[in-house]
Amino acid sequence: MGINGVTDSITFVMDRASSEFKKLTNATLKTKVGITVEEFGALKTLCVRGEINQQELANTLLRERSSTKKLVDSCIRKNMVEKQDSPTNKKSALLVITSLGRDVVAEAETILKAINQKLYRDISSDELAVVRKVCDKLLNHK
């Protein structure tokens, strides 16, 4: 039984869909490669962007610096990321993905592709494009 103004709200439905996706992907990624979807985002960013500092990572992932620090610390404990001294700024450390981190990203990409194919099998590419466009507008609305 739904609650008028809550369960019929687009915000509620988007939150539930996001939560379900996150729960499924986190459970699968943790079981198969030992990371969360958030850790995957950080690792993938370091694969693509190369050596960057923690603030740049936070900006790229649209996260607060404090939550990014916890994320980075977790990746460091798992030997997937290392910190290196910045050659241009003594106060800043650069984050570098390790070879283990790269291997995990490659495996996780295959896992996420399979999850997405399963989740999106009944959704057309046009419908997905609309969802993406709406989400982008919502994220850029300030």
Side-chain angles (χ1 to χ4, degrees), residues 38-76 81-83 92-97:
E38 290 86 1
E39 290 168 333
F40 170 78
L43 295 169
K44 180 65 178 182
T45 298
L46 292 173
C47 277
V48 172
R49 302 247 345 251
E51 300 174 353
I52 58 174
N53 66 37
Q54 193 167 298
Q55 186 60 56
E56 290 175 88
L57 180 62
N59 293 345
T60 301
L61 297 176
L62 305 175
R63 296 176 64 102
E64 294 295 320
R65 187 179 166 114
S66 60
S67 64
T68 303
K69 181 182 180 341
K70 292 176 187 174
L71 185 62
V72 167
D73 289 346
S74 177
C75 291
I76 289 171
V81 172
E82 295 174 342
K83 283 187 178 179
S92 179
L94 296 176
L95 303 174
V96 182
I97 191 164

Side-chain angles (χ1 to χ4, degrees), residues 91-139:
K91 293 181 181 181
S92 179
L94 296 176
L95 303 174
V96 182
I97 191 164
T98 65
S99 59
L100 173 61
R102 288 185 186 282
D103 292 345
V104 168
V105 166
E107 196 170 340
E109 286 179 319
T110 301
I111 293 164
L112 290 172
K113 183 177 180 183
I115 290 170
N116 286 339
Q117 286 174 338
K118 182 179 178 183
L119 288 175
Y120 302 152
R121 71 176 171 256
D122 296 328
I123 303 171
S124 74
S125 58
D126 288 344
E127 289 170 319
L128 286 173
V130 169
V131 170
R132 177 60 194 230
K133 186 175 182 179
V134 169
C135 288
D136 286 343
K137 283 183 177 184
L138 290 170
L139 290 171

Side-chain angles (χ1 to χ4, degrees), residues 13-26:
V13 173
M14 286 178 5
D15 181 60
R16 293 297 313 135
S18 175
S19 293
E20 289 300 313
F21 173 79
K22 203 171 188 180
K23 186 167 52 172
L24 172 64
T25 55
N26 278 336

Side-chain angles (χ1 to χ4, degrees), residues 23-36 107 111:
K23 186 167 52 172
L24 172 64
T25 55
N26 278 336
T28 306
L29 287 174
K30 279 186 175 193
T31 300
K32 295 189 176 189
V33 292
I35 64 170
T36 65
E107 196 170 340
I111 293 164

